[in-house]
Amino acid sequence: FDLGTVKMGRSQNRLTRAGKIFPTRPYMSTEQARAPEVDPRTDAYSVGVLLYETLSRVVPFDAEHPMGLLTQHMYTEPTPLVRLESAMQPISLEADAVVLKCLAKKPEDRYASMTDLAADLARLDRGQPPAALADLLARAEREQDQALLDAARQEHRGGNARRASPFAIAMTGVV
């Protein structure tokens, strides 16, 4: 499975030229779409796309044309997993927070390293709130996202027995 970039040889694809590096589009980060330098936070983004797809059965961004997909990666916020009906099972707000932190548009808002991501996944595994949850709640308050705030209140009261997919927990051994 390719999360990063592939080197293209002779290609008819209009988005690439022979010898250029181009990522697998559904998993590319915003900075790969813009073409500046990339760092380990790019990998966190790609893992976030993979987690999102695994937990929901859909990729966070999809378009018929490559430029539409690039535009979504750069400018469209992913729908929180707690709002998706396609999710394989109910997703906890905590697991959603980890995935959404991976998918942050600005690299500085993502996990700085795969070690940091693994630490948050380990917190989930132990039943502890991930560090990403505070980021998600701050964003929800800032954007006055009542649905996310209500989901947080519901889980805090213990009225929601939602859990992350075993795949998200298994990712601690991968990252």
Side-chain angles (χ1 to χ4, degrees), residues 27-147:
Y27 303 94
M28 71 188 308
S29 65
T30 57
E31 59 273 21
Q32 285 175 301
R34 291 184 179 123
E37 300 232 357
V38 297
D39 64 19
R41 295 173 290 196
T42 296
D43 292 334
Y45 187 92
S46 297
V47 168
V49 174
L50 178 62
L51 287 170
Y52 192 101
E53 182 179 19
T54 300
L55 296 171
S56 70
R57 300 182 189 146
V58 297
V59 290
F61 310 110
D62 195 17
E64 277 193 41
H65 301 287
M67 291 310 293
L69 186 59
L70 294 175
T71 299
Q72 288 179 18
H73 276 287
M74 291 190 301
Y75 303 111
T76 304
E77 291 297 328
T79 301
L81 292 166
V82 295
R83 291 191 186 147
L84 292 180
E85 293 181 21
S86 64
M88 292 176 60
Q89 62 183 353
I91 306 299
S92 70
L93 190 63
E94 289 87 356
D96 202 358
V98 170
V99 174
L100 293 175
K101 183 172 180 82
C102 288
L103 294 174
K105 296 299 175 196
K106 296 178 184 175
E108 60 270 17
D109 292 340
R110 288 186 218 134
Y111 290 99
S113 69
M114 296 305 276
T115 301
D116 293 344
L117 171 56
D120 252 4
L121 289 172
R123 285 184 195 97
L124 279 176
D125 191 33
R126 293 189 303 267
Q128 299 170 334
L133 184 59
D135 295 340
L136 180 62
L137 294 176
R139 182 181 123 197
E141 282 190 33
R142 186 175 57 251
E143 296 173 6
Q144 298 181 355
D145 188 331
Q146 197 59 48

